[in-house]
Amino acid sequence: MATTAAGPTGKTQVKVPAKTKKKAKPTTKAKSPVGFPTLDVERSFLTPGVRLLAGVDEVGRGALAGPVSVGIAVVNLEDHGLLADVRDSKLLKPEDRDRLEPLVREWAVASAVGHASSREIDDIGIIAALRLAGTRAWLEILAGGTTPDVVLLDGSHNWLSPDVQASLFDEPTPGPWCEAPVHTRVKADMSCLSVAAASVLAKVARDRIMVDLHSEVPAYGWNENKGYATSAHRDVIRLQGPSAYHRTSWNLTGPDAG
């Protein structure tokens, strides 16, 4: 071939005009495109007894309507390749997320998405609802026969594990929960492929729920805003009040409401 991946000292058996050689200046291609997450952070957790890592991310936390959703994507720290084009779901176009979602499920050792409804958010608060949604996803992973050894959670706060009890006399948190060690990392969805993959799963699943709810209650434009606080969304709430799928414990109309 007239061009190779060798450096400037490499030799070739084919004579190429000097002008062509100049155009074919060799370049070094990174393993993952700049700006795309890798598994480098995840592999730092690989120690004896730790092989499966669950990347976890949530979507819908700041929405006015609909559920909060938590995605989990499990990777094998000993032997897991990269997955092209996956990044934080907020940076992807809807059509790209839809294309990547089945690829993420095939790529991951195991995957799941859990949800907590707007009613549950009102009843127990957003942090407990995040834990509930995450626990539902976690139990689905376990039910499928996979038990992750460690969790990598996007953000600075571990909302997945139950609160540590202050004393033996406190009421224990009811029900099963994630018992694996949880490590938090700010902006993990930007740098960690397992977490970015989890964000894609959660975003696609939640968006589909909101589109379905839009067909039931079309006035709020959930097919477009997905339940988030756009000015048009707030205007409809002011005009006709909240629906059964709004988080009524929240300030739905905003600070500028009369």
Side-chain angles (χ1 to χ4, degrees):
M1 295 178 62
T3 59
T4 70
T9 58
K11 296 181 179 180
T12 178
Q13 300 301 317
V14 180
K15 292 183 178 180
V16 181
K19 189 174 182 180
T20 304
K21 279 186 175 181
K22 187 175 181 180
K23 286 184 177 181
K25 185 177 179 181
T27 58
T28 301
K29 189 174 182 181
K31 292 181 180 180
S32 181
V34 176
F36 281 80
T38 68
L39 290 171
D40 293 348
V41 172
E42 286 90 331
R43 290 186 178 119
S44 69
F45 291 95
L46 180 60
T47 56
V50 175
R51 182 175 64 90
L52 298 179
L53 178 144
V56 179
D57 200 9
E58 57 81 17
V59 298
R61 181 172 184 167
L64 302 180
V68 65
S69 304
V70 175
I72 299 180
V74 181
V75 295
N76 184 339
L77 299 177
E78 294 178 342
D79 181 22
H80 214 114
L82 300 180
L83 182 59
D85 300 333
V86 173
R87 60 196 310 183
D88 174 18
S89 62
K90 295 186 293 294
L91 303 178
L92 294 170
K93 297 178 180 178
E95 58 267 28
D96 290 331
R97 292 194 295 263
D98 289 339
R99 174 180 62 84
L100 289 168
E101 189 261 355
L103 300 180
V104 168
R105 290 195 176 277
E106 182 179 356
W107 169 81
V109 172
S111 62
V113 178
H115 310 278
S117 69
S118 55
R119 178 64 61 86
E120 289 171 325
I121 293 170
D122 285 335
D123 288 345
I124 63 178
I126 187 61
I127 298 301
L130 281 167
R131 183 177 301 117
L132 179 61
T135 299
R136 285 168 174 164
W138 179 261
L139 294 179
E140 183 177 334
I141 295 290
L142 298 184
T146 299
T147 303
D149 302 303
V150 65
V151 172
L152 181 58
L153 177 66
D154 180 59
S156 59
H157 173 231
N158 175 13
W159 43 257
L160 182 59
S161 302
D163 293 331
V164 177
Q165 300 299 318
S167 75
L168 294 176
F169 301 100
D170 288 334
E171 190 72 21
T173 303
W177 55 76
C178 172
E179 296 181 336
V182 175
H183 299 265
T184 60
R185 183 179 178 89
V186 175
K187 296 188 183 300
D189 50 5
M190 301 290 289
S191 59
C192 305
L193 184 54
S194 66
V195 178
S199 78
V200 169
L201 295 175
K203 178 64 174 170
V204 170
R206 186 180 183 278
D207 281 1
R208 289 172 180 168
I209 289 174
M210 296 311 297
V211 170
D212 287 343
L213 291 179
H214 170 77
S215 64
E216 181 181 336
V217 190
Y220 302 94
W222 292 335
N223 59 324
E224 295 291 338
N225 61 51
K226 304 303 188 293
Y228 285 91
T230 64
S231 58
H233 188 183
R234 288 191 188 276
D235 286 344
V236 178
I237 298 172
R238 293 186 188 105
L239 286 172
Q240 63 183 51
S243 72
Y245 302 108
H246 279 95
R247 304 171 186 180
T248 54
S249 61
W250 292 32
N251 184 0
L252 298 177
T253 54
D256 56 339

